[in-house]
Amino acid sequence: MADDTSLKLGQIFSSFEEVKAAISRYEKKNYVNLYVSDSRTISSTIKRTPSKVIKAELQYSHINYACVAGGRTLKSKSKGTRPNQSTFRKDCNMEVKLRATKDCNFLEVAVLNETHNHECDEVSFKHFPKQRRLGNETLSETDKLLKMKCNKKVLQNHLQTISGKVVTCRDISNMKAKLSSSKSNRNDIEKLVKKLRENE
């Protein structure tokens, strides 16, 4: 049986959805967190080369993934007002580059560098923000429990149990702020709609 958790040079995918699924499996298998470091959409490619016809399901003519500990080095615009900010960057060179094939029907792994300059372990992997992100259903349940003034530590343990993910106290504080902001925006919209109706 073929190993569908690995990536190989020359490997092809018939859609971007297949690419995303393969990247997700690869991340979980190898305890790595990847992000899109560069890409070009089909529409952007066609503007440059109008005669090119690329299968719509590919969505991109090329897309690059890099380890979150590497990728592009952005020039800081900071004025030093927030020093000592933490970062995951370690100048890791691990990358995966996919390109549309000549017939433009597939995305092909054109470059694959799997060498990291840091450890990739399960504990670190699960603590990355990307892996700690909770689904909408869990957020909805969190909202209900926060309304009940549930103890933060109890809530943390509960969320970790039902999601199988690492949940920090800071995550809960961020969720509380996000949910509160969402409600505020919704109330503002409802007030605006009510006012508009009154003016009809």
Side-chain angles (χ1 to χ4, degrees):
M1 183 177 176
D3 180 8
D4 65 354
T5 61
S6 63
L7 293 172
K8 297 178 182 178
L9 272 176
Q11 187 173 354
I12 58 174
F13 302 91
S14 60
S15 70
F16 179 56
E17 290 302 315
E18 285 188 6
V19 172
K20 287 197 295 182
I23 290 293
S24 179
R25 290 193 298 267
Y26 182 87
E27 288 179 313
K28 291 172 183 175
K29 170 71 175 180
N30 298 283
Y31 303 134
V32 299
N33 282 279
L34 306 179
Y35 77 102
V36 176
S37 60
D38 188 36
S39 65
R40 181 170 295 156
T41 61
I42 291 176
S43 59
S44 178
T45 302
I46 291 174
K47 285 179 183 178
R48 292 166 175 254
T49 317
S51 60
K52 205 158 194 174
V53 180
I54 304 174
K55 190 169 75 169
E57 287 81 0
L58 302 186
Q59 295 187 37
Y60 297 91
S61 61
H62 83 253
I63 184 164
N64 301 345
Y65 289 89
C67 174
V68 292
R72 291 177 298 180
T73 301
L74 301 178
K75 187 176 180 180
S76 175
K77 296 180 180 178
S78 170
K79 296 180 180 178
T81 55
R82 297 177 64 198
N84 304 319
Q85 297 300 302
S86 62
T87 176
F88 294 119
R89 294 295 171 86
K90 295 183 177 70
D91 296 323
C92 181
N93 291 319
M94 187 277 171
E95 63 180 351
V96 184
K97 295 183 178 181
L98 296 104
R99 301 285 182 272
T101 52
K102 287 184 179 180
D103 62 8
C104 297
N105 287 323
F106 302 92
L107 280 169
E108 179 181 9
V109 178
V111 175
L112 178 61
N113 178 359
E114 298 184 90
T115 304
H116 296 268
N117 64 353
H118 56 93
E119 292 295 323
C120 297
D121 60 88
E122 185 176 6
V123 174
S124 299
F125 174 75
K126 287 186 174 181
H127 275 81
F128 269 88
K130 178 180 176 181
Q131 304 305 328
R132 301 202 316 264
R133 197 172 297 138
L134 300 175
N136 290 332
E137 287 186 10
T138 307
L139 284 173
S140 178
E141 183 166 347
T142 302
D143 188 25
K144 293 175 184 176
L145 292 170
L146 285 171
K147 286 178 181 176
M148 296 167 63
K149 308 293 184 184
C150 181
N151 177 276
K152 190 176 284 189
K153 197 68 181 177
V154 173
L155 178 56
Q156 179 189 19
N157 291 334
H158 175 67
L159 292 176
Q160 289 183 149
T161 299
I162 64 173
S163 69
K165 296 183 177 183
V166 171
V167 179
T168 66
C169 288
R170 177 174 287 185
D171 289 335
I172 294 173
S173 296
N174 289 340
M175 282 187 278
K176 185 176 181 179
K178 182 179 179 181
L179 291 167
S180 176
S181 174
S182 176
K183 287 176 198 169
S184 177
N185 291 336
R186 188 163 59 247
N187 289 337
D188 289 342
I189 292 171
E190 288 173 354
K191 287 178 182 177
L192 178 60
V193 170
K194 184 178 179 181
K195 187 174 182 179
L196 290 171
R197 284 176 176 170
E198 289 173 351
N199 293 333
E200 287 180 349

